[in-house]
Amino acid sequence: MSGASGLAVTPSPAIAAEYQRTRALTEALAAPLSDADATIQSMDDASPAKWHLAHTTWFWETFLLRDHLPGYRLYREDWPYLFNSYYEAEGARLARGRRGMLSRPSVGEILAWRAVVDEAISPLLARGDLAPLITLGCAHEQQHQELLLTDIKHALFQNPAGPPMWDLQTPAATRPGAVAWHRHPGGIALIGAEDGAGFAFDNEGPRHRVLLEPFALADRLVTNGEWQDFIDDGGYRTAALWLSDGWAWVNAEGVSAPLYWRDEKHFTHSGWRDRDPHAPVTHISSFEADAFATWAGARLPTEFEWEAIAQGHDALAGNQLDAAAPPLPKGGTDLFGDCWQFTRSAYLPYPRFRAAPGAVGEYNGKFMSGQVVLRGGSCATPRGHVRASYRNFFYPHQRWQFTGLRLAKDI
Amino acid sequence: MSGASGLAVTPSPAIAAEYQRTRALTEALAAPLSDADATIQSMDDASPAKWHLAHTTWFWETFLLRDHLPGYRLYREDWPYLFNSYYEAEGARLARGRRGMLSRPSVGEILAWRAVVDEAISPLLARGDLAPLITLGCAHEQQHQELLLTDIKHALFQNPAGPPMWDLQTPAATRPGAVAWHRHPGGIALIGAEDGAGFAFDNEGPRHRVLLEPFALADRLVTNGEWQDFIDDGGYRTAALWLSDGWAWVNAEGVSAPLYWRDEKHFTHSGWRDRDPHAPVTHISSFEADAFATWAGARLPTEFEWEAIAQGHDALAGNQLDAAAPPLPKGGTDLFGDCWQFTRSAYLPYPRFRAAPGAVGEYNGKFMSGQVVLRGGSCATPRGHVRASYRNFFYPHQRWQFTGLRLAKDI
Amino acid sequence: MSGASGLAVTPSPAIAAEYQRTRALTEALAAPLSDADATIQSMDDASPAKWHLAHTTWFWETFLLRDHLPGYRLYREDWPYLFNSYYEAEGARLARGRRGMLSRPSVGEILAWRAVVDEAISPLLARGDLAPLITLGCAHEQQHQELLLTDIKHALFQNPAGPPMWDLQTPAATRPGAVAWHRHPGGIALIGAEDGAGFAFDNEGPRHRVLLEPFALADRLVTNGEWQDFIDDGGYRTAALWLSDGWAWVNAEGVSAPLYWRDEKHFTHSGWRDRDPHAPVTHISSFEADAFATWAGARLPTEFEWEAIAQGHDALAGNQLDAAAPPLPKGGTDLFGDCWQFTRSAYLPYPRFRAAPGAVGEYNGKFMSGQVVLRGGSCATPRGHVRASYRNFFYPHQRWQFTGLRLAKDI
Amino acid sequence: MSGASGLAVTPSPAIAAEYQRTRALTEALAAPLSDADATIQSMDDASPAKWHLAHTTWFWETFLLRDHLPGYRLYREDWPYLFNSYYEAEGARLARGRRGMLSRPSVGEILAWRAVVDEAISPLLARGDLAPLITLGCAHEQQHQELLLTDIKHALFQNPAGPPMWDLQTPAATRPGAVAWHRHPGGIALIGAEDGAGFAFDNEGPRHRVLLEPFALADRLVTNGEWQDFIDDGGYRTAALWLSDGWAWVNAEGVSAPLYWRDEKHFTHSGWRDRDPHAPVTHISSFEADAFATWAGARLPTEFEWEAIAQGHDALAGNQLDAAAPPLPKGGTDLFGDCWQFTRSAYLPYPRFRAAPGAVGEYNGKFMSGQVVLRGGSCATPRGHVRASYRNFFYPHQRWQFTGLRLAKDI
C-alpha cells in the first residue's frame, strides 16, 4: 500500500464501522445545501460541495471496487473524467477551475451513486488485506469533509446576502490569560509517525531524529482581540514586518484584515456574526502569521518544535467535527482542533521518504514544493483525523481554511 | 418615455395580454432547468437563467411598481443590488462576473417574486399613460428570453457530458439552391423606425434618409456545408482573408470552426447532434463572417442595405420562438428568424439620436462603441420581437448567439 | 499600385526631391536621441525610434529595391524579420512587443543601412512607372515620422526624471473667444479623395456621395482650460456622461485627466512644462472626447461632416512639422495641423473600396475593425502629409498621439 | 553591522585594494556593452547592465558616504529613486519592471558618478569601524557582477540575431567518468559560517548543529549529455517524474529543454555555440533538477548535506570569474565555481537567526519564503565570493542563472 504508512491497521468490524461513519458524516455535512448551493465554485482553489460528494466516491470506486472487486462495472463510464482530482496516472480530467460548471449530475444523482458504491463495497470491508487501503480511503474522505466545509463557506461568502448554511450559536470564548509557554530544552527528538502505531499518511514518515535547539511554544493561540491590536498598530501598513512576498501580496490584494472580517463582524457558516475577541483568530495566510509573529517579538515554530510539544498531548481532546451535528467553532485554544497552526517549515520530504509507485503515490509527495506546513487540525477537521505527526500544507497566500497561529520563541 | 420611441402604443387589454404572454414564456423557457442549471454562469458575457428570471422582474418592480404604484414596497430590499444589470443611475450592483455565485435565492423563491410582481402590476396594465413603458418592459423581457436560451446553451456546453435541456428533433433543412440576389438600384432610402408605427427601441430612430449605392443582397443565408468548404479551403489559416484583429483572435484563441462544432456534430439545446449541411451556419463571430465573405468574393451588407431590402418583408414570416413549446431551429434561410446576420456597420447613433434622461436612457445609447450591428432575429428570438428596423449589436469576437451571415455585393 | 489611389503622380525630379526631403527629416527627428533613447519601447503600441528608422528603410528596400532593382541583394538577410511591421504576406516577424529588445543593430548601423538604400534607390527615382510607389513610400515614412515623435515622447515620459528631447519654448496661445460655428445646410456631399488630384491612401477612396443632415462644426478646438472645467465639474466621475466601454476604461485605469497631465504641468518633448489654458487639449482618448462633448451639450462630428467643412480649407495653413527644426506645438486651433480630431465615425471601408492584392494591400484595409476615425493632422504631422480626405484611425482608448476634439451639433 | 555576520574583518590596506578590485571588475564586465545594450531589460527578474552599474554605486553612496562622510551631498537627488533595488526603509523607488525605461542617465554619466563616489569614499576605506560595512559592500557588488552577466545574457538572447558580447572559445570539457560518490556516515554536523572566520552574509549564520542521516553526494555535476538522455527518454513528457507545480510549469510554458538550448546549440555570451556533451548542464530550474534526479533514481541533496561535504574543499579551486578577462565557462564539474547546484532545501532562517534592524537588515531575511537554496557558485561568480556556507536562493521556476545539479542518495 502506498499513500499511507503504518501497517498495523485492524480489520473489520472496526473498519466497516469507520467506513460507514465516514460516509454518513459527509452526507450529513452536505445535507443543508440545495442542489444549487452544492454546484457553485467560488475560486479555482475550492471545489463545489457536490464535487466533494462525488470525488470521494470516485476514490472508492476506482481504488477499491475497480481494482479489487472482480467483475465490477463503473457506475458511469464518463464520471471518472469529471471527478478525478489530480491523479495523472488515472488519466485526463476536467480542469479544476471548471468544476463549477457541473449542474449535472445533480446532488440526488450523486447520492444514488454513493449508495450503489456503499452497497457494492460491503463485502470488501471484511478483507484484512484491504484494511490499509480502506483506512486510507476514510482518511481521504475526512480531508474532503473539511474541504467541503471550508469551500462552501467561501462560496456562500460570495453572495452579498451572506446566506447561512445553518444557524448555530457559538458559545463565547473564555477570556484567555497572558501566554504561558511550553518550554523544551532542545536535543534530539523523534519526529514522524511511528510504524505500527496506527494509520498515518506517507508524508508523516519515516520517523526520524531531529536536533532541536531550546525553545518555547505558546500554550494558547493568538486571539481575534490580539489581531485587532496588530491592525490598530498599523501591522498591515508596516513593510518591515513582512516577508518580501507577503508585502507584495498585501499590496496587490489590498489586504487589511483576515479573510471574512468586515467591520465588527465576520462571516461564518451561520452567516454574519459578531467577532469574539477571545476566540482564536482564523482565516489568515502564512504571510500574515509571520508578520504578526515578528510584530509580537516572537516567531513561528518549526513543524518539528510543534510536534515535539504535541507528542505529549491527546489529539482527541480538541474541538473537532463530529458525527453529531457539526459544532463549528467553539473558540478554544488547544493544540488540536481549534485551527490549523502555521509553522515556518516548508513542506518537504522527511529523510528517506519515497513516494509509492502508482496513482496513490501521487497523494502527497508531488506537492512538496512551495507550500508551508500547518499542524494541529481545526474545528472543521473530523474527530480522530489528526495526530501529533499530521502534516497539512498550503501555499503561503491561502487562507480560506481555518488557519491561525501559535507563537514560539528561542530560549 | 425613454428607452423606446414610437408613441402610438395601444393600451389594454392588448397590452395586458402581451404582458401575460411574455411573462409566461420566460417561465416556460426556464421550466426544464434544475435550480443548479439555472444558477451556473459559464463566462462573464453570459448570465445564469435564474438571473434572467429575476432581472426581468427587477425591471418591472423598479420602473413600474416602485415608480408608479403609490405605496408599493420592494419585495426584498437587497435584491436590486443582485439583479440590476447595468443601470448606473440605479446604483451599485453585483459584478457581472459574479452572477454565478447566487445559489440563493433559489429558482422557486424567484418564481414566487415573479408572481407577487405580476399580481401587483395588474392594475397598472390598464393605464394608457404607462402603455409605452409596459411595451418597453415586454420587449426587454423578450430580449432576456433569447439571452436565457443562448446563455444556458453555453453553460450546458461546458459540461463534458453535454446534457440536453430538452429533446427535440430538428427537421432536415431543404437543400438550398445557388444564391439568388435581391438587387437594389441605390438611391435615397428611409432608414429607421417610423414614428407612430408601433413599438421600436430608441436606437432604431430617428428615421432618416441614407444614400445607397447599387448593391445586391443574397436571398439566403450561408449554410453549414458552405462553411465546411471554407474550412476545407484553409479559411482559418489564410491571413489574407482576415481583418487584423480577427487574425489575432483566431490565433490567440486557436479558432478553427464555429463555436459548438466538434467533428461531424454540433452542440444544441438537445445535446450533441449531427450537423445539417443545408441548415444555416450559426455561432460565428463577426471576424469569421467577414473572412468568409472575403473568401467568397463578396462582402457583408451595411445595416442600411439590409434594412432597405427587409422593408418589403414580413418579420412574422420567420422562424421565431413562440409561446408554444420552443421549436429551436428549423434551419430555414429567411431574412427574419433563422439567425442574426452580421452587417459591416458599426453600432452608432443615427443622426439626431439622443438618449433619454434617467435610467431607462441607459438602455441602448451607451453601448454605441466598439460593437457591430446584426439584423434579422434568430430562431431564439420571440415571435413579434423583431422588425426591419431592429438593431442588435455585439462585439466582433462574440459568437454565443445564433449568429450567421448573408452575403452582399456591389452591382 | 495598391496602397494608394490617385494615379496623377508627377515623376522626378519633384519625386526625387520629395524622397530626399522625407528621408532627411526622419534622420533629423532622431538626431537628438542617444542609441539607448532610440532603443527603448514603452508599450506594445509604441515602437523604438531606432525601429522607425529601420522599418521605413525596410519598406524601401523591400518594395522598391528588391522588387524593382534587378540584382539587388538585401543589405542584411536577417533584418526583414526584425523590421517588417505587420505585412503577413512578407513572412514571419519579431513580435511587436519585443521591438525594445533590439539593442543591436545600433542607430549608427541603421543609419549606414539608410545611406546604402538611399544610394541604391537613386536610379529608380526617375522612373515614372514607380512614381506612385515612391510617393506611397514617402507618405509611409511621414507616418512613421509622426509615430517616432509620439512614441519617443511616451518613452521619455516613463523616465521619472522626465528628460527632454530638446529644449523649445512654445509661444503662448492666444486666448480663444467663444466658439463660432461653421454651419452646413445638409444635402449630398462628395466625400473622399478625387482621382487624379494627387496622392491619397487607398482608404480615402473611392470618392462617393454621402447624405448629410444640417449641422454645425465648431470653428476651434477645445482648450486645456475648458478641459479643466470638465474635470472640475466631476466629468471623470459622472457615469452618465460616458459610453459604457469608456466608463469601464476610466475605472479600470484610474483615469482622471489627459495623458501627460500632472498638477499644473504636462509632459512635452521639452520635458515638464506649464500647461497653457488657451492651447488645445491633447492626448485624450475617444472615450474622453465623447464624454466631454456630452458634458458640453454637443457631440462629435461624423468624419463626413468634418470633411465637408474641411474641403474649403487649406491643409497647408496648419501648424505641421517641417523640415526646419521640429517646432512642436504652437497651440493653434486650426482644422489642420494642431491635433488629430476625433469623429464619431467608426473606421470602415467606403462603398466599393477593395484592398489591393499583395503585401501593400495590407496597408489600410485590414485595420477596418474596432477603430475610430480622426481627422486633420497634428503638430507632429509632417507638412504636406494631410488633406481634407485623410483618415487616421486608432482604438478608442489610445491617447498617446496628439489627439484632441472639435465639437459639432445638429442645427 | 547588519547584513553580514563575522566581525573579524581586517581593515585597510587589504580592504582598500578589495574595494578597488571589485569596482574595476564591474566596469570591466560592462565594457563590451553599448549604451543601448546596457539599457534594455528582458524581463522583470533581470535588470539592465546600466542599472547594476548604478545600483552598486547607490549602495556605496547611501550606506557609506551619506551615512558616514560628514557633509557629503548626494551626486543627484533624484537618483536614489531610480537605483534603490528593494530597500523599503530607503523609500519609494522605480518599479522593478520599469528599469528598462532608463535610457538616461547614459552609461557614461553613470561611470562619471562611479568615479565621483570612488574618489569620495577613499578616506573611509582606512576606517576600521567601517571595515565590515565595506566588506559587505564589496560582496554586494560581486553579487551584482554575476547578475550583470546573467541578465545581459538573457537580454541578448531576446535578439533574434543572437549577438555575442565577446568572442571567447570555451575549451572542450573532459569526458567525465561514471559518478563516484562522496560518502558521509551521518551524525551531527556544524553548519553555517563560523564567527570570526572571515566575511559571511547574515543568512549563513548562526552556525549551528544539524543531524544528518548517512548519505552520498556525487563527485561531479550532471552533464549536457546526460541531460540529453533525460530528454530522449521522454523526461519532459512524463508526469510521474515531476513535482505538481513543476508539471504545471512545464505545460504552461511549453518547456522541453534547458533555457538557451536550440537544436544542437546553446546561447552563450559568445553567441550561439555548439553544446559540449561533457560540460555540466546549466540554466535549468529547480523543477527540472528535481525531475531529473527522480528519473536518475537519485535525489537532490539538502543544503546541509552539500555543506557537510563542501567543508573539506577549497572554494578558490573553482572556475570563477576573475579580474583577468572573464573566462566564462570552462566546463568543469567542481563543487565550487562551475554552476549553482540546486538543493532540496527551502530557503529558511537558521535557528536563532534574526535580521538586523534598518535598511541593511532587508538584505537577506525578508526573502525567506518560497525560494530554494543553491550552493557552490558558478562560472559567473567572482573569485573569492563563495564559500562552503554560502547560500544562494531563487524561485523554483527561475533558470536564467548558471544553475545545474549534483545528485545525492541515501546510503
Side-chain angles (χ1 to χ4, degrees), chain B residues 44-67:
Chain B
D44 282 14
D45 286 342
S47 296
K50 172 191 289 186
W51 189 90
H52 289 297
L53 287 170
H55 165 69
T56 48
T57 304
W58 167 84
F59 190 97
W60 293 112
E61 189 182 61
T62 303
F63 297 120
L64 267 286
L65 296 178
R66 186 196 65 180
D67 289 357

Side-chain angles (χ1 to χ4, degrees), chain A residues 313-387:
Chain A
H313 293 74
D314 177 8
L316 286 174
N319 170 36
Q320 299 136 306
L321 196 63
D322 209 323
L328 302 179
K330 79 162 169 31
T333 59
D334 294 331
L335 271 163
F336 293 101
D338 283 302
C339 62
W340 290 102
Q341 296 147 56
F342 283 109
T343 71
R344 66 157 53 176
S345 298
Y347 178 50
L348 290 172
Y350 285 169
R352 300 180 189 280
F353 170 80
R354 192 147 299 188
V360 182
E362 298 185 43
Y363 204 98
N364 278 309
K366 75 178 181 182
F367 299 109
M368 290 174 175
S369 171
Q371 309 205 44
V372 296
V373 175
L374 301 96
R375 297 297 197 113
S378 83
C379 57
T381 308
R383 169 165 290 258
H385 183 70
V386 289
R387 56 208 149 256

Side-chain angles (χ1 to χ4, degrees), chain D residues 31 398 411:
Chain D
Q398 291 177 319
I411 56 175

Side-chain angles (χ1 to χ4, degrees), chain C residues 112-136:
Chain C
W113 181 31
R114 291 181 66 94
V116 167
V117 165
D118 288 350
E119 177 71 23
I121 219 166
S122 179
L124 301 182
L125 299 179
R127 275 177 51 184
D129 62 323
L130 297 179
L133 189 50
I134 295 166
T135 306
L136 173 65

